[in-house]
Amino acid sequence: MKLRSISLLIGSALAILTSACRTQSVTTSVTPHPHLVILHTNDTHSQIEPDRHDLGGIVRRKVLVDSVRASRPDVLLIDAGDAVQGSLYYTLFDGEVERVLMNAMGYDIRILGNHEFDKGMPLLAREWRQITGTRLSTNYDFTGTPLDSIFVTSEIRNIAGHNIGFIGMNLDPNGIVFDHNYAGITYSPVIDSANSEAARLREKGAEMVIAVTHIGYYEDDPLRPDDSDLAKASSDIDIIIGGHSHTVVTPSSDPSAPASMLLNSKSEPVVVVQTGSTGTYLGHIDIDLVTKAVTPTLIRVDNRLDSRVDADFAALIAPYRHGVDSLRSLAIGNAPYTMLRKSPELLNFFSDFVRLRAQEYAQKHEIDLAIMNKGGLRADLPEGTITRGSVIDIAPFDNRIVVLEISGKDLLDNFKVMAMQEGQGVSSNVRATFDPLTHELIDVSIDGAPVDHERIYTLATIDYLALGGDYMEPLERGHIIARSPNLLHQSLSDAIANHQVDALLDSPSSTVRFSAVK
């Protein structure tokens, strides 16, 4: 809290200094200082169309980008990863739609997120070889992989006579990307790599260094540094443009909001920004290239922009929209109630469905419990007609239901991981609690009984988690005994169409089954 207060004071001082510099340039200088404007996005997750709140949409984003470019001489457009995965546009077209539209919009710099790897490196390489602009990755070594030679480690851009350096920092793929989807890539730790490359750019004449990152903000994990850790451990980085955690980071008078100004190892300010997710905001950073004053803001992407859309740009979506609309109009059932993406109801529904469907594959084995991750759910289930497309929107990943045998000890170890994540989805017969301050696991019961360390449990989950995804590494110690032949979204679509989950749809459970102790 002290650091945030200091950060707010620094932010206020810099704002006053920025204002003073601008006033002086108007009253005493014939030529105003040159400025660089950086527009930035992160975690847009294939949200090509506006969301259910009528916010975002890539056509609207282009209106804003074009407007800024028309009014300012030096503008860069940057993306901090996870531009894909989350809608039918990616499920059906493997990243082509996002690549075509982002190229047409003229992105200058892009980095990888973890979801860019979801369909494997060969497909990723095919798409990224066609990307215009700089493809940046500082701490991944792609030698010998399909991504070899596609990326550069860093770059210096001369903007109005001033050298600005850029580095791209990626997260550790272990525990969050399927092993086979990044096989052969060598990861170097974020902080050491960033500091080393930033120092090298300074030696080459960079006046400022901007880190574009996909490592998250306030992840509260000592083993996986985030943007706040990078800012505080750095010495040559001026701005961090982040992604991954879907956090809105911008100057705020709210002391509980994520700090957008942190002190580095030399007690100098580092500006940290992030736009949240799904393209609701476009980030805008104004940099005075002489004073190095930095002014970050967010621009809301909404329907006020609709009267100014670029018709030619919008027409690029048309060839893809038919396939998307076809799935979204294919009715398979009815939902009596709305279940929101981040609600207990939807997480409980999927957890119970995974247990129910897994029993079909387990044969003689009785399923003891099911686990589902919150991050596997990407959209709401609205009241009314359920379509094939809406199910894919909710669970777009290439996951299958699996059944594994696991010891009680390993199962408890995994519940400890889930407690660090403030709980995950569990089936209706499970209750678990954790300490909200320490995130330590307090208690777990299955069918009202504590977990027996020595017993072998039959667990239903998805293969992403069974293989250690979302850092659930203890599940890797289990033994997979059955696997669904279909993807999760196909299994659920079939079950809805065959009225096998009517009871779950008719009686949504709002119970928080993995809860913090009050």
Side-chain angles (χ1 to χ4, degrees):
M1 187 62 70
K2 289 181 180 179
L3 180 57
R4 285 180 176 167
S5 299
I6 293 171
S7 301
L8 289 169
L9 288 173
I10 291 171
S12 299
L14 282 177
I16 294 169
L17 175 61
T18 302
S19 176
C21 290
R22 286 176 175 167
T23 302
Q24 183 180 18
S25 68
V26 170
T27 58
T28 65
S29 176
V30 175
T31 305
H33 292 168
H35 284 243
L36 167 64
V37 172
I38 294 177
L39 303 176
H40 60 96
T41 54
N42 60 271
D43 300 282
T44 49
H45 284 297
S46 302
Q47 192 70 52
I48 304 301
E49 310 286 355
D51 64 16
R52 70 182 183 90
H53 302 291
D54 197 26
L55 296 174
I58 197 166
V59 174
R60 293 170 176 172
R61 190 193 317 161
K62 187 172 189 296
V63 173
L64 291 173
V65 172
D66 289 347
S67 177
V68 175
R69 283 175 173 156
S71 62
R72 304 296 292 269
D74 294 299
V75 179
L76 292 179
L77 180 58
I78 294 176
D79 185 73
D82 275 5
V84 299
Q85 187 60 278
S87 83
L88 291 170
Y89 284 100
Y90 182 66
T91 304
L92 294 177
F93 303 109
D94 300 334
E96 178 182 329
V97 183
E98 296 84 350
R99 183 252 304 164
V100 167
L101 296 175
M102 293 175 79
N103 278 355
M105 199 180 298
Y107 272 79
D108 297 284
I109 296 173
R110 290 183 60 182
I111 71 166
L112 293 165
N114 51 294
H115 283 294
E116 268 76 14
F117 290 94
D118 280 359
K119 297 199 175 186
M121 274 193 286
L123 188 147
L124 177 58
R126 184 193 75 190
E127 289 302 321
W128 277 63
R129 286 188 185 280
Q130 300 176 73
I131 285 176
T132 56
T134 300
R135 295 154 295 196
L136 198 60
S137 181
T138 302
N139 62 324
Y140 282 172
D141 182 352
F142 300 106
T143 303
T145 74
L147 298 175
D148 198 347
S149 77
I150 294 177
F151 294 81
V152 298
T153 302
S154 61
E155 74 168 4
I156 293 177
R157 290 190 176 225
N158 187 277
I159 310 293
H162 296 268
N163 290 327
I164 309 298
F166 294 88
I167 59 177
M169 309 311 304
N170 299 110
L171 52 66
D172 184 349
N174 182 39
I176 198 164
V177 178
F178 273 131
D179 289 354
H180 58 271
N181 282 350
Y182 71 93
I185 293 177
T186 301
Y187 163 81
S188 295
V190 166
I191 291 175
D192 290 344
S193 299
N195 281 337
S196 175
E197 191 62 19
R200 192 181 73 83
L201 292 180
R202 292 283 189 179
E203 292 174 359
K204 292 183 64 176
E207 301 169 40
M208 300 181 75
V209 174
I210 298 171
V212 186
T213 73
H214 197 84
I215 58 175
Y217 191 84
Y218 283 153
E219 293 291 282
D220 196 25
D221 187 339
L223 299 179
R224 300 175 181 88
D226 69 349
D227 286 333
S228 63
D229 298 317
L230 175 58
K232 289 180 279 190
S234 68
S235 56
D236 293 300
I237 295 171
D238 300 277
I239 301 171
I240 296 174
I241 299 173
H244 181 54
S245 57
H246 299 190
T247 313
V248 175
V249 186
T250 192
S252 172
S253 59
D254 181 357
S256 66
S260 65
M261 191 81 72
L262 297 169
L263 298 178
N264 71 6
S265 62
K266 298 188 291 187
S267 297
E268 297 169 339
V270 180
V271 173
V272 184
V273 294
Q274 193 181 147
T275 68
S277 66
T278 65
T280 300
Y281 293 102
L282 177 67
H284 182 289
I285 307 171
D286 184 285
I287 304 170
D288 185 316
L289 293 171
V290 175
T291 68
K292 305 303 185 286
V294 178
T295 307
T297 55
L298 291 177
I299 306 172
R300 195 172 179 87
V301 182
D302 58 27
N303 60 14
R304 77 187 190 284
L305 305 166
D306 288 348
S307 63
R308 300 157 54 196
V309 300
D310 180 337
D312 291 337
F313 182 77
L316 295 174
I317 305 174
Y320 307 102
R321 186 173 282 122
H322 175 71
V324 170
D325 289 346
S326 295
L327 283 178
R328 286 186 176 155
S329 63
L330 182 59
I332 57 173
N334 184 74
Y337 304 98
T338 293
M339 288 188 263
L340 300 178
R341 173 191 170 191
K342 295 184 179 181
S343 70
E345 288 86 351
L346 190 62
L347 187 60
N348 291 341
F349 171 80
F350 267 84
S351 301
D352 292 338
F353 167 70
V354 167
R355 185 186 183 199
L356 178 69
R357 179 49 63 103
Q359 192 62 63
E360 297 178 21
Y361 313 127
Q363 298 177 358
K364 64 180 180 180
H365 300 272
E366 186 70 26
I367 302 295
D368 293 305
L369 75 158
I371 291 173
M372 181 67 192
N373 61 328
K374 294 178 286 190
L377 308 179
R378 312 302 287 194
D380 304 334
L381 178 63
E383 178 184 350
T385 301
I386 302 174
T387 69
R388 177 79 177 98
S390 64
V391 173
I392 297 175
D393 280 337
I394 297 169
F397 306 109
D398 290 349
N399 294 319
R400 285 177 165 79
I401 297 173
V402 296
V403 180
L404 62 152
E405 293 180 332
I406 187 169
S407 72
K409 178 182 180 302
D410 292 336
L411 186 60
L412 277 174
D413 285 346
N414 199 70
F415 270 88
K416 292 176 183 177
V417 173
M418 295 158 70
M420 291 297 295
Q421 300 165 342
E422 299 189 336
Q424 293 283 6
V426 292
S427 51
S428 60
N429 63 324
V430 179
R431 294 293 182 272
T433 57
F434 66 93
D435 186 313
L437 297 178
T438 64
H439 291 91
E440 292 182 356
L441 181 68
I442 295 175
D443 180 66
V444 183
S445 65
I446 301 173
D447 293 318
V451 175
D452 182 347
H453 283 228
E454 304 303 320
R455 178 183 162 185
I456 299 299
Y457 288 84
T458 304
L459 169 68
T461 187
I462 55 175
D463 51 3
Y464 173 66
L465 301 183
L467 297 174
D470 265 2
Y471 308 114
M472 297 192 193
E473 295 175 2
L475 295 187
E476 292 185 276
R477 304 173 203 156
H479 171 62
I480 295 177
I481 59 174
R483 184 187 302 269
S484 166
N486 297 319
L487 296 178
L488 175 63
H489 58 71
Q490 182 65 62
S491 294
L492 179 55
S493 293
D494 292 344
I496 292 172
N498 294 322
H499 301 283
Q500 295 171 323
V501 290
D502 285 355
L504 296 178
L505 291 169
D506 290 344
S507 303
S509 169
S510 61
T511 301
V512 179
R513 299 168 179 173
F514 202 136
S515 60
V517 174
K518 297 182 180 179

